[in-house]
């Protein structure tokens, strides 16, 4: 079975769970079998949260947390100092971190991880385009670009359709989010 697994790390209120579920929707729209689910604990705004995706060409009967992900997405760079974000991460995959720093500058914070490190300044991109820091949309785009789990052009078209449905009464939100997606795919490093 060809399966790709993601683990998302963020803080409550940053949209990591939402980005995880949007990735599941995008993969489903591409004809894949998907799982997208958060790990619930004592969540509150600002508390660390974890979410997971399984994306496969065939139905998957496994329903547990993901302990050996292909990709890890870190929505809050501050978590590198308090959470073992690389635990179980396959070195054939990658870690994608919301940071304005170069990928190699973050390697010392990753507990000996020798695989691919990718960075994107999701906060800056969303502030420049949307006027506020909403890191989940740029991180979602970076995850798609780095992993190749869904075709980027199909992903962009599916997201535009989703935004039109979700924000029908706010066309400025649709345009801004589409700009964020496209720019994020261009700017992810690593």
């Amino acid at each position: 079975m060809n399966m790709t697994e993601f683990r998302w790390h963020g803080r409550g209120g940053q949209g990591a769970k939402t980005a995880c579920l949007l990735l599941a929707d995008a993969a489903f729209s591409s004809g894949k079998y998907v799982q997208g689910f958060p790990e619930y604990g004592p969540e509150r705004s600002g508390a660390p949260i974890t979410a997971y995706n399984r994306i496969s060409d065939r139905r998957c009967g496994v329903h547990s947390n993901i302990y050996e992900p292909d990709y890890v997405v870190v929505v809050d760079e501050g978590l590198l100092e308090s959470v073992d974000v690389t635990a179980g991460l396959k070195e054939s995959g990658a870690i994608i971190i919301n940071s304005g720093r170069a990928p190699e500058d973050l390697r010392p914070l990753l507990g000996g991880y020798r695989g691919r490190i990718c960075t994107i300044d999701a906060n800056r991109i969303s502030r420049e385009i949307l006027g506020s820091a909403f890191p989940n949309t740029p991180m979602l785009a970076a995850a798609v670009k780095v992993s190749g789990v869904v075709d980027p052009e199909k992903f962009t078209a599916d997201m535009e359709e989703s935004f039109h449905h979700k924000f029908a009464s706010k066309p400025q939100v649709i345009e801004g989010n589409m700009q964020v997606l496209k720019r994020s795919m261009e700017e992810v490093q690593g």
Side-chain angles (χ1 to χ4, degrees):
M1 175 177 357
N2 184 16
M3 183 171 11
T4 305
E5 295 179 318
F6 291 81
R7 186 174 64 222
W8 296 76
H9 292 280
R11 293 190 186 275
Q14 291 180 321
K17 179 182 103 172
T18 300
C20 167
L21 298 177
L22 286 170
L23 178 59
D25 287 347
F28 180 77
S29 293
S30 294
K32 309 263 186 183
Y33 290 93
V34 300
Q35 294 177 9
F37 54 97
E39 177 179 42
Y40 284 108
E43 274 72 34
R44 62 193 184 286
S45 185
I49 66 106
T50 309
Y52 305 92
N53 287 109
R54 279 192 183 91
I55 300 171
S56 177
D57 294 332
R58 295 193 309 209
R59 186 178 304 276
C60 175
V62 177
H63 296 282
S64 67
N65 289 351
I66 294 170
Y67 301 101
E68 295 183 349
D70 299 288
Y71 298 94
V72 167
V73 183
V74 181
V75 181
D76 186 320
E77 180 181 2
L79 293 172
L80 299 179
E81 296 174 17
S82 59
V83 175
D84 184 5
V85 296
T86 59
L89 176 58
K90 296 175 185 169
E91 291 192 0
S92 59
I95 186 167
I96 307 157
I97 304 167
N98 176 8
S99 177
R101 296 157 66 182
E104 285 306 312
D105 292 345
L106 297 174
R107 192 170 296 279
L109 302 174
L110 299 178
Y113 176 69
R114 294 189 305 269
R116 185 173 169 205
I117 301 169
C118 302
T119 59
I120 181 163
D121 196 341
N123 292 336
R124 177 186 51 78
I125 291 169
S126 64
R127 266 195 301 275
E128 287 177 0
I129 297 172
L130 301 174
S132 194
F134 298 111
N136 61 334
T137 301
M139 296 308 293
L140 171 62
V144 166
K145 176 72 174 196
V146 169
S147 70
V149 73
V150 293
D151 176 73
E153 288 182 22
K154 174 130 178 51
F155 165 74
T156 302
D158 287 345
M159 289 306 298
E160 186 165 18
E161 185 177 318
S162 174
F163 290 152
H164 276 287
H165 179 73
K166 187 174 182 180
F167 303 113
S169 63
K170 301 177 183 174
Q172 72 282 7
V173 173
I174 298 166
E175 179 57 33
N177 275 288
M178 291 310 298
Q179 287 178 30
V180 166
L181 283 175
K182 292 172 184 172
R183 188 149 147 213
S184 299
M185 285 194 195
E186 293 167 5
E187 288 192 22
V188 65
Q189 299 178 45

